[in-house]
Amino acid sequence: MKFLTAEQKKFYDDNGYIVLDILSEAEIDELGREYDDIFKRKADNNLEATWQGDWNTQKKQTQVQSIHGLQMHSAAFTRLLLHPKMLDACEDIMDTENILLHHTKAHTKPPGTGSPFPMHQDYHYFPFENDSMIAVFVSMDAADPKNGGLCVYPGSHKQGPQEDCSNAPGWHYLSQEKFPISKATPLSLKRGQIVVFSYLLIHGSYDNTSDRVRRMFLIQLMSADDTPLAKVHQSDCQRMVLRGKCISRDADIKKRHKEFTEMERASGAY
């Protein structure tokens, strides 16, 4: 084990998540400044990402702003992707040193109107053969149920994929009657704490009814030895090697440019 204790590893294996202290005050300060600067620069873009579908019976108007691929906007987030302690913890959890990036994203829930997220499994967005996918959830602010914090069903990752009940294309969630948010375990996090969880863990988050903002940054990682079951959710820097190596990576010179490769396939060249 490189970072986790034996007790922490057992907790993760049993519960499907673990809360960790990894970042220094200086690191979270820098990430916070860069985070706010990105959202300020992109304020005129369409950032609204409230979860769609028939799961939400609330009448009030809520909102959540989202930007994907923050490492494409600031080097601070590229440095975070390569953070040695973070990758040590992920290696302990994933039981492999060959770790690839899948994607990153940031969600901001404004005070008083921040949207809730339904109980769901990330699996339905990007299923993998060996279920190696994990999420690294960075709590940019102190978070609790009042300002839209995260909640989980501990141990639910052991149940495997559950039925996707969404009626909205592109959005996925479970039965909110079978897995009500009221029975989930809330996670109260300190500013800068990190939650690592399995993509099979059932989780969601509350609406922000407080006078405090709730910002988060999420990194999804996968094993280089795992295989996607569908060609979905293809994002910037996907399959970038963050640690170890990727033996399966193609090196064919004709496939060096993504757009060229897609055109060649469309033409039947190969």
Side-chain angles (χ1 to χ4, degrees), residues 124-184:
H124 295 289
Y125 283 96
F126 28 78
F128 272 72
E129 183 176 323
N130 298 323
D131 298 327
S132 67
M133 181 80 69
I134 63 170
V136 179
F137 179 108
V138 183
S139 189
M140 304 294 296
D141 302 291
D144 54 54
K146 291 183 179 180
N147 73 331
L150 187 67
C151 59
V152 302
Y153 270 73
S156 57
H157 65 303
K158 295 181 179 180
Q159 300 175 25
Q162 299 297 298
E163 181 184 2
D164 178 11
C165 295
S166 174
N167 72 333
W171 303 86
H172 303 282
Y173 50 86
L174 308 183
S175 167
Q176 305 302 291
E177 289 73 34
K178 185 176 180 180
F179 301 105
I181 197 169
S182 60
K183 292 187 178 180

Coordinates of all heavy atoms in Angstrom, one line a residue, residues 124-184:
H124 N -23.9 3.8 -15.8 CA -24.8 3.9 -16.9 C -24.3 4.9 -17.9 O -24.7 4.8 -19.1 CB -26.2 4.2 -16.4 CG -26.8 3.1 -15.6 ND1 -27.2 1.9 -16.1 CD2 -27.1 3.1 -14.3 CE1 -27.7 1.2 -15.1 NE2 -27.6 1.8 -14.0
Y125 N -23.4 5.8 -17.5 CA -22.9 6.8 -18.5 C -21.7 6.2 -19.3 O -21.5 6.7 -20.4 CB -22.5 8.0 -17.7 CG -23.6 8.9 -17.3 CD1 -24.2 8.8 -16.1 CD2 -24.2 9.8 -18.2 CE1 -25.2 9.6 -15.7 CE2 -25.2 10.6 -17.9 CZ -25.8 10.5 -16.6 OH -26.9 11.3 -16.3
F126 N -21.0 5.3 -18.7 CA -19.8 4.8 -19.4 C -19.4 3.4 -18.8 O -18.5 3.3 -18.0 CB -18.6 5.7 -19.3 CG -18.6 6.6 -18.0 CD1 -18.2 6.1 -16.8 CD2 -19.0 7.9 -18.1 CE1 -18.2 6.9 -15.7 CE2 -19.0 8.7 -17.0 CZ -18.6 8.2 -15.8
P127 N -20.2 2.4 -19.2 CA -19.9 1.0 -18.6 C -18.6 0.4 -19.1 O -18.2 0.6 -20.3 CB -21.1 0.2 -19.1 CG -21.5 0.9 -20.4 CD -21.3 2.4 -20.1
F128 N -17.9 -0.3 -18.2 CA -16.7 -1.0 -18.5 C -16.8 -2.5 -18.2 O -17.5 -2.9 -17.3 CB -15.5 -0.3 -17.8 CG -14.9 0.8 -18.5 CD1 -15.6 2.0 -18.6 CD2 -13.6 0.7 -19.1 CE1 -15.0 3.1 -19.3 CE2 -13.1 1.8 -19.8 CZ -13.8 3.0 -19.9
E129 N -16.0 -3.2 -18.9 CA -16.0 -4.7 -18.8 C -15.7 -5.1 -17.4 O -16.3 -6.0 -16.8 CB -15.1 -5.3 -19.8 CG -15.1 -6.9 -19.8 CD -14.2 -7.4 -20.8 OE1 -14.1 -6.9 -21.9 OE2 -13.5 -8.5 -20.6
N130 N -14.6 -4.6 -16.8 CA -14.2 -5.0 -15.4 C -14.5 -4.0 -14.3 O -14.0 -4.2 -13.2 CB -12.6 -5.2 -15.5 CG -12.2 -6.3 -16.5 OD1 -12.9 -7.3 -16.6 ND2 -11.1 -6.1 -17.2
D131 N -15.3 -3.0 -14.6 CA -15.8 -2.1 -13.6 C -14.6 -1.5 -12.8 O -14.7 -1.3 -11.6 CB -16.8 -2.8 -12.6 CG -18.0 -3.3 -13.3 OD1 -18.4 -2.6 -14.3 OD2 -18.6 -4.3 -12.9
S132 N -13.6 -1.1 -13.5 CA -12.4 -0.5 -12.8 C -12.6 1.0 -12.5 O -11.8 1.6 -11.8 CB -11.1 -0.7 -13.6 OG -11.2 0.1 -14.8
M133 N -13.6 1.6 -13.1 CA -13.8 3.0 -13.0 C -14.0 3.5 -11.6 O -14.9 3.0 -10.9 CB -15.0 3.4 -13.9 CG -15.2 4.9 -14.0 SD -14.1 5.8 -15.1 CE -14.7 5.2 -16.6
I134 N -13.3 4.6 -11.2 CA -13.5 5.2 -10.0 C -13.7 6.7 -10.2 O -13.3 7.3 -11.2 CB -12.4 5.0 -9.0 CG1 -11.1 5.6 -9.5 CG2 -12.3 3.5 -8.6 CD1 -10.0 5.6 -8.4
A135 N -14.3 7.4 -9.2 CA -14.4 8.9 -9.2 C -13.6 9.4 -8.1 O -13.6 8.9 -7.0 CB -15.9 9.3 -9.1
V136 N -12.9 10.5 -8.4 CA -12.2 11.3 -7.4 C -12.9 12.6 -7.2 O -12.8 13.5 -8.1 CB -10.7 11.5 -7.7 CG1 -10.0 12.3 -6.7 CG2 -10.0 10.2 -8.0
F137 N -13.7 12.8 -6.2 CA -14.5 13.9 -5.9 C -13.8 14.9 -5.0 O -13.5 14.6 -3.8 CB -15.8 13.4 -5.3 CG -16.9 14.5 -5.0 CD1 -18.0 14.6 -5.7 CD2 -16.7 15.3 -3.8 CE1 -19.0 15.6 -5.4 CE2 -17.6 16.3 -3.5 CZ -18.8 16.4 -4.3
V138 N -13.4 16.1 -5.5 CA -12.7 17.1 -4.7 C -13.7 18.1 -4.3 O -14.4 18.8 -5.1 CB -11.6 17.8 -5.6 CG1 -10.9 18.8 -4.7 CG2 -10.7 16.7 -6.2
S139 N -13.9 18.2 -3.0 CA -14.8 19.2 -2.4 C -14.2 20.5 -2.3 O -13.3 20.8 -1.4 CB -15.3 18.7 -1.0 OG -16.4 19.5 -0.5
M140 N -14.5 21.4 -3.2 CA -13.8 22.7 -3.2 C -14.3 23.6 -2.0 O -13.6 24.6 -1.7 CB -14.1 23.4 -4.5 CG -13.7 22.6 -5.8 SD -12.0 22.4 -5.9 CE -11.4 24.1 -6.1
D141 N -15.4 23.3 -1.4 CA -15.9 24.0 -0.3 C -16.3 23.0 0.8 O -16.5 21.9 0.5 CB -17.2 24.8 -0.7 CG -16.9 25.8 -1.8 OD1 -16.2 26.8 -1.6 OD2 -17.5 25.6 -2.9
A142 N -16.5 23.5 2.0 CA -17.1 22.7 3.0 C -18.5 22.3 2.6 O -19.2 23.2 2.1 CB -17.1 23.4 4.4
A143 N -18.9 21.1 2.6 CA -20.1 20.6 2.1 C -20.9 19.8 3.0 O -20.3 18.9 3.7 CB -19.9 19.9 0.7
D144 N -22.2 19.9 3.1 CA -23.1 19.2 3.9 C -24.5 19.1 3.2 O -24.7 19.8 2.2 CB -23.2 19.8 5.3 CG -23.5 21.2 5.3 OD1 -24.6 21.6 4.7 OD2 -22.8 22.0 5.9
P145 N -25.5 18.5 3.8 CA -26.8 18.4 3.1 C -27.4 19.8 2.8 O -28.1 19.9 1.8 CB -27.6 17.6 4.1 CG -26.6 16.7 4.8 CD -25.4 17.5 4.9
K146 N -27.2 20.8 3.7 CA -27.8 22.1 3.5 C -27.3 22.8 2.3 O -28.1 23.5 1.6 CB -27.6 22.9 4.8 CG -28.3 22.4 6.0 CD -28.1 23.3 7.2 CE -28.9 22.8 8.4 NZ -28.7 23.7 9.6
N147 N -26.1 22.7 1.9 CA -25.6 23.4 0.7 C -25.4 22.5 -0.5 O -24.6 22.7 -1.4 CB -24.3 24.2 1.0 CG -23.1 23.4 1.2 OD1 -23.1 22.2 1.6 ND2 -21.9 23.9 0.9
G148 N -26.1 21.3 -0.5 CA -26.1 20.5 -1.7 C -25.0 19.4 -1.7 O -24.5 19.0 -2.8
G149 N -24.6 18.9 -0.5 CA -23.6 18.0 -0.4 C -23.9 16.6 -1.0 O -25.1 16.3 -1.3
L150 N -22.9 15.8 -1.0 CA -23.0 14.4 -1.6 C -23.6 13.4 -0.6 O -23.4 13.6 0.6 CB -21.5 13.9 -1.9 CG -21.3 12.6 -2.7 CD1 -21.9 12.7 -4.1 CD2 -19.8 12.3 -2.7
C151 N -24.3 12.4 -1.1 CA -24.8 11.4 -0.2 C -24.7 10.0 -1.0 O -24.7 10.0 -2.2 CB -26.3 11.6 0.2 SG -27.4 11.8 -1.2
V152 N -24.6 8.9 -0.2 CA -24.3 7.6 -0.8 C -25.1 6.5 -0.1 O -25.6 6.7 1.0 CB -22.8 7.3 -0.7 CG1 -21.9 8.4 -1.3 CG2 -22.4 7.2 0.8
Y153 N -25.2 5.4 -0.8 CA -25.7 4.2 -0.2 C -24.5 3.3 0.0 O -24.0 2.6 -0.9 CB -26.7 3.5 -1.2 CG -28.1 3.9 -1.0 CD1 -28.6 5.2 -1.4 CD2 -29.0 3.0 -0.4 CE1 -29.9 5.6 -1.2 CE2 -30.4 3.4 -0.2 CZ -30.8 4.7 -0.6 OH -32.1 5.1 -0.4
P154 N -23.9 3.3 1.2 CA -22.7 2.5 1.5 C -22.9 1.0 1.1 O -23.9 0.4 1.5 CB -22.5 2.7 3.0 CG -23.2 4.0 3.3 CD -24.4 4.0 2.4
G155 N -21.9 0.4 0.5 CA -21.9 -1.0 0.1 C -22.7 -1.3 -1.1 O -22.7 -2.5 -1.6
S156 N -23.4 -0.3 -1.7 CA -24.3 -0.6 -2.9 C -23.5 -1.0 -4.1 O -24.0 -1.6 -5.1 CB -25.1 0.6 -3.2 OG -24.4 1.8 -3.4
H157 N -22.2 -0.7 -4.1 CA -21.3 -1.1 -5.3 C -21.3 -2.6 -5.5 O -21.0 -3.1 -6.6 CB -19.9 -0.5 -5.1 CG -19.2 -1.1 -4.0 ND1 -19.6 -1.0 -2.7 CD2 -18.0 -1.7 -3.9 CE1 -18.7 -1.6 -1.9 NE2 -17.7 -2.0 -2.6
K158 N -21.6 -3.3 -4.4 CA -21.5 -4.8 -4.4 C -22.7 -5.4 -5.1 O -22.7 -6.6 -5.5 CB -21.4 -5.3 -3.0 CG -20.1 -5.0 -2.3 CD -20.0 -5.6 -0.9 CE -18.7 -5.3 -0.2 NZ -18.7 -5.9 1.2
Q159 N -23.8 -4.6 -5.3 CA -25.0 -5.1 -5.9 C -24.9 -5.0 -7.4 O -25.8 -5.6 -8.1 CB -26.2 -4.2 -5.5 CG -26.4 -4.2 -4.0 CD -27.5 -3.2 -3.5 OE1 -28.4 -2.9 -4.3 NE2 -27.4 -2.8 -2.3
G160 N -23.9 -4.5 -8.0 CA -23.7 -4.4 -9.4 C -24.7 -3.3 -10.0 O -25.3 -2.6 -9.3
P161 N -24.7 -3.3 -11.4 CA -25.6 -2.3 -12.0 C -27.0 -2.5 -11.7 O -27.6 -3.6 -11.7 CB -25.3 -2.5 -13.5 CG -24.0 -3.2 -13.6 CD -23.9 -4.1 -12.3
Q162 N -27.7 -1.4 -11.4 CA -29.1 -1.4 -11.1 C -29.9 -0.8 -12.3 O -29.3 -0.3 -13.2 CB -29.4 -0.5 -9.9 CG -28.8 -1.0 -8.6 CD -29.2 -2.4 -8.2 OE1 -30.4 -2.6 -7.9 NE2 -28.3 -3.4 -8.2
E163 N -31.2 -1.0 -12.3 CA -32.0 -0.6 -13.5 C -32.0 0.9 -13.7 O -32.2 1.7 -12.7 CB -33.4 -1.0 -13.3 CG -34.3 -0.7 -14.5 CD -35.8 -1.0 -14.3 OE1 -36.1 -1.6 -13.2 OE2 -36.6 -0.8 -15.2
D164 N -31.7 1.3 -14.9 CA -31.7 2.7 -15.3 C -33.2 3.1 -15.6 O -33.8 2.5 -16.5 CB -30.9 2.9 -16.5 CG -30.9 4.4 -17.0 OD1 -31.4 5.2 -16.3 OD2 -30.4 4.6 -18.1
C165 N -33.7 4.0 -14.8 CA -35.2 4.3 -14.9 C -35.4 5.7 -15.6 O -36.5 6.2 -15.6 CB -35.8 4.4 -13.5 SG -35.8 2.8 -12.6
S166 N -34.4 6.2 -16.2 CA -34.5 7.5 -16.8 C -35.5 7.5 -18.0 O -35.5 6.6 -18.8 CB -33.2 8.1 -17.2 OG -33.3 9.3 -17.9
N167 N -36.2 8.6 -18.1 CA -37.1 8.8 -19.3 C -36.5 10.0 -20.2 O -37.2 10.4 -21.1 CB -38.5 9.1 -18.9 CG -38.7 10.5 -18.3 OD1 -37.8 11.1 -17.7 ND2 -39.9 11.1 -18.4
A168 N -35.3 10.5 -19.8 CA -34.7 11.6 -20.5 C -33.4 11.1 -21.2 O -32.5 10.7 -20.6 CB -34.4 12.7 -19.5
P169 N -33.4 11.1 -22.6 CA -32.2 10.7 -23.3 C -30.9 11.5 -22.8 O -31.0 12.7 -22.7 CB -32.5 11.0 -24.7 CG -34.0 10.9 -24.8 CD -34.5 11.5 -23.5
G170 N -29.9 10.7 -22.6 CA -28.6 11.4 -22.2 C -28.5 11.6 -20.7 O -27.4 12.0 -20.2
W171 N -29.5 11.2 -19.9 CA -29.5 11.4 -18.5 C -29.8 10.0 -17.9 O -30.7 9.3 -18.4 CB -30.5 12.4 -18.0 CG -30.3 13.8 -18.6 CD1 -30.7 14.2 -19.8 CD2 -29.5 14.8 -18.1 NE1 -30.3 15.5 -20.0 CE2 -29.5 15.9 -19.0 CE3 -28.7 15.0 -16.9 CZ2 -28.8 17.1 -18.8 CZ3 -28.0 16.2 -16.7 CH2 -28.1 17.2 -17.6
H172 N -29.2 9.7 -16.8 CA -29.4 8.3 -16.2 C -29.6 8.5 -14.6 O -29.0 9.2 -14.0 CB -28.2 7.4 -16.4 CG -27.9 7.3 -17.9 ND1 -28.6 6.4 -18.7 CD2 -26.9 7.9 -18.6 CE1 -28.0 6.5 -19.9 NE2 -27.0 7.4 -19.9
Y173 N -30.6 7.7 -14.1 CA -30.9 7.7 -12.7 C -31.6 6.4 -12.4 O -32.2 5.7 -13.2 CB -31.6 8.9 -12.2 CG -32.8 9.3 -13.0 CD1 -34.1 8.7 -12.7 CD2 -32.7 10.2 -14.1 CE1 -35.2 9.1 -13.4 CE2 -33.9 10.6 -14.8 CZ -35.1 10.0 -14.5 OH -36.2 10.4 -15.2
L174 N -31.6 6.1 -11.1 CA -32.3 4.9 -10.6 C -33.7 5.2 -10.1 O -34.1 6.4 -10.0 CB -31.4 4.2 -9.5 CG -30.0 4.0 -9.8 CD1 -29.3 3.3 -8.6 CD2 -29.8 3.1 -11.1
S175 N -34.4 4.2 -9.7 CA -35.7 4.4 -9.1 C -35.5 5.2 -7.8 O -34.9 4.7 -6.8 CB -36.4 3.0 -8.8 OG -37.5 3.2 -7.9
Q176 N -36.2 6.3 -7.7 CA -36.1 7.2 -6.5 C -37.0 6.7 -5.4 O -36.8 7.1 -4.3 CB -36.4 8.6 -6.9 CG -35.6 9.2 -8.0 CD -34.1 9.1 -7.8 OE1 -33.5 9.9 -6.9 NE2 -33.4 8.3 -8.5
E177 N -37.9 5.7 -5.7 CA -38.7 5.1 -4.7 C -37.9 3.9 -4.1 O -37.9 3.8 -2.8 CB -40.0 4.5 -5.3 CG -41.0 5.6 -5.7 CD -40.6 6.3 -7.0 OE1 -39.9 5.7 -7.9 OE2 -40.9 7.5 -7.0
K178 N -37.1 3.2 -4.9 CA -36.3 2.1 -4.4 C -35.1 2.6 -3.6 O -34.7 2.1 -2.6 CB -35.9 1.2 -5.5 CG -35.1 0.0 -5.1 CD -34.8 -0.9 -6.3 CE -34.0 -2.2 -5.8 NZ -33.7 -3.1 -7.0
F179 N -34.5 3.7 -4.1 CA -33.3 4.3 -3.5 C -33.6 5.8 -3.2 O -33.0 6.7 -3.9 CB -32.1 4.2 -4.5 CG -31.8 2.8 -4.8 CD1 -32.1 2.3 -6.1 CD2 -31.2 1.9 -3.9 CE1 -31.8 0.9 -6.4 CE2 -30.9 0.6 -4.2 CZ -31.2 0.1 -5.5
P180 N -34.5 6.1 -2.3 CA -34.8 7.5 -2.0 C -33.6 8.2 -1.3 O -32.8 7.6 -0.6 CB -35.9 7.4 -1.0 CG -35.7 6.1 -0.3 CD -35.2 5.2 -1.4
I181 N -33.4 9.5 -1.6 CA -32.3 10.3 -1.1 C -32.5 10.4 0.4 O -31.5 10.5 1.1 CB -32.3 11.7 -1.7 CG1 -30.9 12.3 -1.5 CG2 -33.4 12.5 -1.3 CD1 -30.7 13.6 -2.3
S182 N -33.7 10.3 0.9 CA -33.9 10.4 2.4 C -33.3 9.2 3.2 O -33.0 9.3 4.4 CB -35.4 10.4 2.7 OG -36.0 9.2 2.2
K183 N -33.0 8.1 2.5 CA -32.4 7.0 3.2 C -30.9 6.8 2.9 O -30.2 5.9 3.4 CB -33.1 5.7 2.8 CG -34.5 5.6 3.3 CD -35.1 4.2 3.0 CE -36.5 4.1 3.6 NZ -37.2 2.8 3.4
A184 N -30.4 7.8 2.1 CA -28.9 7.8 1.8 C -28.1 8.3 3.0 O -28.7 9.0 3.8 CB -28.7 8.6 0.5

